[in-house]
Amino acid sequence: QVQLVESGGGPVQAGGSLRLSCTASGSTFNSYEYAVAWFRQAPGKEREFVAVISRSSRTYYADSVKDRFTISRGNVRTTVVLQMDALKAEDTAVYYCATGRPILSSIRDRNLYSYWGQGTQVTVSS
């Protein structure tokens, strides 16, 4: 069993930055053995893919965040970080960390992730 905890959310002004962290615990989790992704859900909208780092450390981004967000592994094997720069009002959402072992061609599919965190709120004011 894997437990995920997100941190780092909060209010920020448009154009600002936030750094979200996803920390895993339980069993012998090693982020290099799983894909770790970020999804987000705004009020009244479906949960959508944001970014993912694969087991081989390849990174993929949603078009809406490409060149503004960066996903990376932290200094320890149980942490993945999402650096968010040049934030926009439309980035406002609850951000969720998820992990699993989806095949590469479906790595953006939220249904293929087995473990999820509780989410952290990001609010960008314009």
Side-chain angles (χ1 to χ4, degrees):
Q1 190 73 9
V2 176
Q3 293 83 41
L4 301 176
V5 177
E6 303 95 338
S7 62
V12 63
Q13 290 192 332
S17 299
L18 281 175
R19 186 177 176 89
L20 305 184
S21 292
C22 173
T23 301
S25 61
S27 188
T28 56
F29 182 84
N30 181 337
S31 70
Y32 287 90
E33 297 177 1
Y34 292 81
V36 180
W38 288 91
F39 292 81
R40 67 185 181 187
Q41 188 166 18
K45 294 188 177 181
E46 289 192 355
R47 192 169 299 188
E48 64 176 4
F49 168 79
V50 175
V52 63
I53 185 164
S54 73
R55 285 180 284 176
S56 59
S57 298
R58 295 178 69 173
T59 58
Y60 303 89
Y61 298 92
D63 288 343
S64 59
V65 307
K66 201 171 183 180
D67 299 327
R68 298 189 297 123
F69 290 11
T70 304
I71 189 170
S72 62
R73 289 194 173 85
N75 293 330
V76 296
R77 292 177 179 268
T78 55
T79 300
V80 169
V81 172
L82 183 69
Q83 177 67 40
M84 306 188 297
D85 298 318
L87 283 160
K88 305 175 181 179
E90 50 264 44
D91 294 319
T92 295
V94 177
Y95 283 71
Y96 297 90
C97 173
T99 191
R101 290 172 169 165
I103 57 175
L104 205 57
S105 59
S106 301
I107 205 165
R108 294 174 173 85
D109 185 346
R110 66 179 186 266
N111 296 308
L112 300 182
Y113 288 83
S114 305
Y115 303 103
W116 290 80
Q118 294 299 307
T120 184
Q121 177 71 47
V122 171
T123 303
V124 185
S125 58
S126 56

